Amino acid sequence: MHRFAFMIHPLDAGYITRKFSFARHLPPALLEWVMRYLPPLKVSRITGVRSPHAETEGWFVACPLTSRQMVNLPESFVIQRIIKTGRLAESLGAEILGLGAMTSVVGDAGITVARNLNIAVTTGNSYTVATAIEATEKAAAMMGIELPEAEVVVVGATGSIGAVCAKILARRCRKLTLVARNEDKLVRLAGEIKEMTGVKARITRSIQEALRRADVIITVTAAVDTVIEPEYLKPGAVVCDVARPRDVSRRVAELRDDVLVIDGGVVEVPGDVNFNFNFGYPPGLAYACMAETMILALEGRIENFTLGRDLTVDQVDTINRLAAKHGFRVAGFRSFELPVPEAKVEAIRERARRKLALAR
């Protein structure tokens, strides 16, 4: 049996105060200062991951820095903390390490971390892309959106996940808009897509401008704060939020009952998995990035699989094939951690139809 570990971290200081009551009395800035000096932690042991072909087990290990610290502290300091957490995974017996949330984003997206560890490393981004696209296509179909005719937008398009999402979507749609802050990178990506697929993608740095006409949105920025607000979206839009921390404001869920927001990359894990840790999902469900580490352990592919920012379509296809072999599959829709039954999707579709009819 090959064993794995997956690295997590608190998204904000609130995660610490909710878990440790004594910390509620500390100002967030003081709490984050203390966290800079905490050692990495073994959070839990993960058991029961079993496919028709193999089984595996592993651990959650935590790097005690918040998302804001990961972005704002010196990069070399943050990477050293991630490496130190990876060495904890090594000492536990893991053979492959998955990098979760911001630990997969900072620096060179895992390359330096892998060079400083004696175990394999993966960010999980390949399977995240595969599941996000599958879920988005299914959600669009349920909302009555024909993808080839739809206005499709990728927010955060020049990141590793966003770029390969855009390349895959360009094979299936004709009206594609790419959004990111760096215009030079947008121009290069649009050129690659034109060469690969013939699709001439629009580019813009303005999220609001792009979303005004969007039917389908995949959003995957590395922003610490939310970037999509309720007033940006048109009735009937489908938004797949792949980013952690989230890109979509909770105000969208509160104020827009005519758009469908789904969490990207949520999958069912085969076997009788017990994470021994509550990260907000029901038993048996996991983020796709976690699942990628499990899939590689089950398959015995103890190798650096997804690293850096040049994710390829071939990597996405490969991990998707291995996931199917071992029984992983996209879970039903969830939105802000809550399940979205088909009846709710139908109600959203009907409200959007009425709103659009009134606007004509």
Side-chain angles (χ1 to χ4, degrees):
M1 178 192 300
H2 298 286
R3 293 178 172 83
F4 67 92
F6 190 81
M7 192 180 301
I8 59 178
H9 69 89
L11 297 183
D12 56 48
Y15 278 68
I16 303 298
T17 56
R18 286 192 290 275
K19 189 168 181 61
F20 302 104
S21 57
F22 69 90
R24 294 173 190 162
H25 306 292
L26 298 177
L30 176 59
L31 183 57
E32 286 196 337
W33 182 84
V34 172
M35 290 168 65
R36 293 176 58 170
Y37 301 98
L38 293 177
L41 306 171
K42 183 184 82 171
V43 175
S44 70
R45 188 181 184 101
I46 303 165
T47 60
V49 183
R50 191 171 300 108
S51 86
H53 307 280
E55 62 181 298
T56 183
E57 61 183 26
W59 299 266
F60 280 128
V61 292
C63 180
L65 295 176
T66 65
S67 300
R68 197 172 299 278
Q69 287 177 299
M70 293 263 177
V71 171
N72 293 332
L73 288 171
E75 186 177 290
S76 58
F77 174 83
V78 174
I79 289 177
Q80 284 305 312
R81 297 303 306 272
I82 294 172
I83 291 170
K84 193 170 182 180
T85 308
R87 287 178 180 146
L88 171 62
E90 282 183 358
S91 70
L92 291 169
E95 297 164 82
I96 184 167
L97 170 68
L99 301 179
M102 296 300 285
T103 69
S104 68
V105 174
V106 297
D108 51 13
I111 293 173
T112 300
V113 174
R115 285 176 180 157
N116 284 274
L117 295 177
N118 296 311
I119 57 177
V121 177
T122 191
T123 62
N125 286 347
S126 297
Y127 195 42
T128 294
V129 170
T131 55
I133 289 177
E134 182 178 339
T136 300
E137 289 181 325
K138 185 177 178 183
M142 291 178 70
M143 289 289 286
I145 298 171
E146 298 286 341
L147 206 57
E149 304 303 324
E151 295 280 355
V152 178
V153 173
V154 179
V155 180
T158 56
S160 58
I161 294 178
V164 78
C165 276
K167 290 172 184 173
I168 293 173
L169 285 169
R171 301 188 300 195
R172 304 171 194 185
C173 65
R174 291 190 283 271
K175 302 171 187 173
L176 179 65
T177 300
L178 313 174
V179 185
R181 289 179 297 183
N182 189 311
E183 191 162 343
D184 291 339
K185 289 183 178 179
L186 281 171
V187 170
R188 281 199 295 275
L189 177 60
E192 290 177 36
I193 289 172
K194 178 75 164 51
E195 188 174 336
M196 290 170 62
T197 65
V199 170
K200 188 177 179 181
R202 299 188 187 98
I203 61 170
T204 179
R205 297 174 61 195
S206 170
I207 293 176
Q208 284 182 259
E209 177 191 324
L211 299 195
R212 195 176 301 130
R213 59 179 180 271
D215 301 303
V216 175
I217 301 149
I218 289 184
T219 183
V220 60
T221 78
V224 173
D225 300 313
T226 56
V227 297
I228 296 179
E229 299 296 335
E231 54 271 23
Y232 299 175
L233 301 165
K234 81 176 201 183
V238 171
V239 187
C240 180
D241 191 351
V242 184
R244 292 296 178 275
R246 292 180 177 281
D247 281 346
V248 180
S249 165
R250 285 192 178 271
R251 291 179 60 240
V252 174
E254 296 165 3
L255 301 176
R256 295 298 303 269
D257 60 4
D258 60 339
V259 300
L260 175 58
V261 179
I262 60 173
D263 298 341
V266 184
V267 299
E268 294 178 19
V269 178
D272 187 22
V273 60
N274 187 348
F275 293 107
N276 289 301
F277 175 69
N278 181 4
F279 51 90
Y281 285 164
L285 298 188
Y287 291 110
C289 54
M290 295 175 183
E292 179 171 309
T293 317
M294 299 175 203
I295 293 164
L296 293 170
L298 286 168
E299 184 66 12
R301 290 186 62 157
I302 307 304
E303 61 187 74
N304 297 330
F305 188 79
T306 310
L307 290 180
R309 306 201 185 280
D310 295 322
L311 189 58
T312 68
V313 174
D314 281 348
Q315 284 174 297
V316 176
D317 290 342
T318 297
I319 199 68
N320 211 20
R321 177 177 55 78
L322 294 177
K325 171 184 172 181
H326 288 286
F328 289 78
R329 62 179 185 176
V330 174
F333 299 141
R334 301 184 70 80
S335 184
F336 294 95
E337 282 88 34
L338 297 176
V340 184
E342 288 191 17
K344 185 172 182 179
V345 177
E346 182 57 36
I348 292 170
R349 179 178 175 175
E350 180 59 21
R351 284 190 288 268
R353 187 190 65 77
R354 290 178 186 170
K355 191 170 284 190
L356 288 168
L358 285 173
R360 290 191 187 111

